[in-house]
Amino acid sequence: MWLGFVNDCGWGAQVRYWELNSSATNTDLFTPQLITGDTTGFNAANTIQMQALDIEAIRNFCYCDWNVTTSFGYRHALRDSQGAMNFIAQVDRPTIIGGQTALYSGASSSISKFEGDGLTFSLAGSRPTCYGIDLFWNMRGSCLWGNSYSSSSAAAAVGTPFGGANFTTGAVSGKSDDIWIGELQAGAQWSRCLPCSNARFFLRGAFEYQYWGSTSGQTFAEAGVFDSGVSGMYVSASSPESSINLVGFALSSGITW
């Protein structure tokens, strides 16, 4: 979403807000294994939330038949990714140690979050063609300073007719951090004048790419349990520190006057 104003000399200001919320789940419960006959299952979920708020000064001018806009200002941004997984397994125990079954369960989770403030700058251009279609492109870069937080936890448990065991571990990290953000957009725009007004409606479609740099903090946790040395289970979790790349197609519309 955006809102801006430009005067007759080409100077102005704008406010922009962008947000992404996405989640995914994967479930496979109580599936018998063909070779061992054991029964296993898991449930995994991941979420990501990203936000950016820009407050900028802008300048419009013409260059070689292109309408060019530059901007420079302040950005506040958030990147929060979380993941969790639960696992369960029912294992047949050998007759020599009492038979029956052992029930294993495990859980892991991770969080990686960055929130900060910094500078953003952009360069954009548009050029009219035929049939009211304009070609356009946008490039934007941002450098942010803030705080990153990450955590990981892992838990494992086993229960048998003759006893059980459980183990839980975790790790937490928090520090001052900085990331770079790069954005690229290129596409076409159609527009037409609205009746009885000086306003103009536009509709645009574009290829879009975004790069959000990696955070420097990472955590790792691991837990394990065993049943009389016959079988066992390890559970591990790590918070991601890698960069995020977003690729897709964008549709937008608005009014200028």
Side-chain angles (χ1 to χ4, degrees):
M1 298 183 292
W2 59 267
L3 179 65
F5 170 81
V6 179
N7 63 20
D8 294 336
C9 297
W11 291 95
Q14 69 179 7
V15 178
R16 301 172 66 252
Y17 178 75
W18 176 86
E19 180 177 333
L20 169 69
N21 286 284
S22 181
S23 62
T25 59
N26 189 9
T27 302
D28 184 9
L29 295 179
F30 304 113
T31 301
Q33 303 298 308
L34 295 178
I35 298 178
T36 63
D38 301 330
T39 301
T40 62
F42 71 90
N43 178 60
N46 294 277
T47 63
I48 184 169
Q49 180 183 16
M50 305 170 74
Q51 297 176 352
L53 173 65
D54 303 329
I55 303 175
E56 302 175 286
I58 58 177
R59 167 67 169 161
N60 288 348
F61 60 93
C62 293
Y63 179 78
C64 295
D65 297 328
W66 285 90
N67 298 314
V68 180
T69 300
T70 62
S71 70
F72 180 81
Y74 158 82
R75 164 169 282 195
H76 176 83
L78 166 71
R79 193 186 86 178
D80 186 0
S81 58
Q82 302 184 24
M85 183 173 182
N86 296 306
F87 178 83
I88 189 170
Q90 183 175 291
V91 179
D92 292 331
R93 305 176 76 244
T95 305
I96 193 173
I97 60 171
Q100 303 187 48
T101 60
L103 183 63
Y104 288 90
S105 62
S108 65
S109 64
S110 63
I111 298 174
S112 179
K113 181 178 180 179
F114 173 86
E115 187 171 10
D117 304 274
L119 301 176
T120 184
F121 46 91
S122 72
L123 180 65
S126 64
R127 181 174 183 173
T129 60
C130 302
Y131 307 108
I133 302 297
D134 296 346
L135 301 178
F136 74 92
W137 51 267
N138 298 315
M139 295 186 297
R140 176 175 294 274
S142 306
C143 182
L144 304 179
W145 300 270
N147 297 306
S148 63
Y149 168 83
S150 62
S151 68
S152 301
S153 65
V158 59
T160 73
F162 309 99
N166 63 82
F167 185 69
T168 302
T169 185
V172 177
S173 173
K175 60 182 300 183
S176 299
D177 208 349
D178 59 86
I179 66 171
W180 286 87
I181 303 174
E183 304 170 48
L184 175 64
Q185 194 178 71
Q189 171 180 295
W190 172 84
S191 64
R192 64 172 298 171
C193 292
L194 297 179
C196 303
S197 71
N198 293 324
R200 193 172 188 88
F201 170 82
F202 69 84
L203 177 67
R204 58 172 56 179
F207 165 83
E208 184 165 351
Y209 170 76
Q210 292 192 22
Y211 167 84
W212 291 59
S214 61
T215 58
S216 58
Q218 188 179 31
T219 55
F220 179 80
E222 185 179 52
V225 290
F226 302 89
D227 174 21
S228 303
V230 177
S231 60
M233 181 180 67
Y234 283 104
V235 177
S236 63
S238 63
S239 61
E241 65 170 351
S242 60
S243 59
I244 295 179
N245 295 275
L246 305 175
V247 181
F249 187 76
L251 290 174
S252 59
S253 63
I255 296 176
T256 60
W257 66 93

